[in-house]
Amino acid sequence: MKLSIDPSSADPLFDQIARGLKRALTTGALGPGDRLPTARDLADSLQVNLHTVLRAYAILRDEGLLEVRRGRGTVVVARAKMLGDARLHRAVANVVSEARRVGLEENELLRLVSDGFRERTEI
Amino acid sequence: MKLSIDPSSADPLFDQIARGLKRALTTGALGPGDRLPTARDLADSLQVNLHTVLRAYAILRDEGLLEVRRGRGTVVVARAKMLGDARLHRAVANVVSEARRVGLEENELLRLVSDGFRERTEI
DNA sequence: ACCTATTTGTCCGTATGTATG
DNA sequence: CCATACATACGGACAAATAGG
């Protein structure tokens, strides 16, 4: 998995790394279930700080592309979650984000969603 | 603007700060256009590291609640941009729609949303 | 049940860069 | 040009989850 970064570039290293990994995902160089190098290993090979790689991993995790777990490392999410559930996943993430934005508690959000489900609301 | 954190708590400091600020927003203690203390000042008064506050600010910025700008500081977004209910309701309607599309039952959807809500407190 | 190694998560401190005023 | 204030990156330390012996 080659991945090159440019320390003299204007855009941040963590962003270059995140984009590089995303590119590897779209080109198929990285596929579902593939294990990524540990953050420390990738940091060493790229000659950047550990935190910089962790931040890049966190970005892709937040986008639903990676599963990052303590003690286990980082793997590309299963194909089922990437494709079939992509829209649902985004919708869930979005509604959680909106709920947080207006300061809703978990049970309040669940109540809203439950109501919405029964009312057969449309977009 | 009082804001208390618990260093011995299990959940992260940056998250406690972010939630505390969000609470101040929903209770009206902080309103549109209000200026927040500089990250360094808040960090000093809370006796935490500068980065911890910056991370909290970044979370709220990503959720559209704050405008964080270099050299200028941090302010609560204008009321016009907060149009909360419309966006939240669209998000709820959307997630219900997506759930139906993939044939989810109500309890399955609620489980997903609940998981999503608890999952992402870190960035 | 215990211990150890691995790996990410958080927090701190410091330095430097960049946009704003 | 200079002060302010956030942005990025580095390094170090410890905590917490995981896996395996």
Side-chain angles (χ1 to χ4, degrees):
Chain A
M1 185 199 58
K2 84 188 176 97
L3 177 64
S4 64
I5 57 176
D6 174 17
S8 68
S9 165
D11 43 78
L13 294 176
F14 68 83
D15 205 55
Q16 294 184 47
I17 296 171
R19 278 206 314 275
L21 291 173
K22 200 177 303 187
R23 176 153 194 82
L25 286 168
T26 58
T27 63
L30 273 176
D34 284 355
R35 195 176 195 290
L36 274 70
T38 73
R40 181 163 279 111
D41 285 350
L42 184 54
D44 286 348
S45 86
L46 292 177
Q47 294 188 296
V48 299
N49 191 271
L50 164 66
H51 301 305
T52 305
V53 173
L54 285 176
R55 187 163 175 183
Y57 280 5
I59 289 174
L60 299 185
R61 177 198 57 196
D62 291 347
E63 293 180 7
L65 294 173
L66 298 181
E67 287 178 2
V68 189
R69 302 273 180 90
R70 273 190 243 193
R72 292 201 318 185
T74 304
V75 298
V76 180
V77 297
R79 183 161 208 75
K81 290 189 178 182
M82 291 187 63
L83 300 181
D85 295 326
R87 283 172 57 181
L88 176 61
H89 187 275
R90 274 199 301 274
V92 169
N94 183 50
V95 80
V96 167
S97 166
E98 291 297 329
R100 284 220 172 84
R101 189 172 60 81
V102 300
L104 245 56
E105 300 293 338
E106 181 183 0
N107 58 344
E108 295 171 324
L109 171 60
L110 292 182
R111 176 57 177 274
L112 268 185
V113 173
S114 177
D115 288 349
F117 196 91
R118 296 174 209 236
E119 284 172 16
R120 308 202 62 86
T121 53
E122 60 271 357
I123 299 183
Chain B
M1 184 199 62
K2 86 187 181 101
L3 178 63
S4 64
I5 58 176
D6 174 17
S8 70
S9 165
D11 44 78
L13 295 176
F14 66 82
D15 202 56
Q16 295 184 46
I17 297 171
R19 280 204 314 275
L21 291 172
K22 198 176 303 184
R23 181 140 200 87
L25 286 169
T26 58
T27 63
L30 274 177
D34 284 354
R35 195 175 194 289
L36 273 69
T38 72
R40 190 175 306 274
D41 285 349
L42 184 53
D44 286 348
S45 85
L46 293 177
Q47 294 188 297
V48 299
N49 191 271
L50 165 66
H51 299 306
T52 305
V53 173
L54 285 175
R55 190 165 173 181
Y57 280 6
I59 289 174
L60 300 186
R61 178 198 56 199
D62 292 347
E63 293 179 8
L65 291 172
L66 299 181
E67 286 179 2
V68 189
R69 302 275 181 87
R70 277 189 246 199
R72 291 200 314 182
T74 304
V75 297
V76 181
V77 296
R79 185 158 215 68
K81 291 187 178 179
M82 292 187 74
L83 28 81
D85 294 335
R87 278 171 58 175
L88 175 61
H89 282 124
R90 272 202 303 275
V92 170
N94 182 51
V95 80
V96 167
S97 166
E98 289 298 327
R100 286 221 176 81
R101 184 178 59 81
V102 298
L104 245 55
E105 298 295 334
E106 179 184 357
N107 60 341
E108 294 172 323
L109 171 59
L110 291 182
R111 175 58 178 274
L112 268 185
V113 173
S114 176
D115 286 350
F117 195 91
R118 298 172 196 215
E119 233 177 59
R120 276 275 302 114
T121 315
E122 73 263 7
I123 252 221

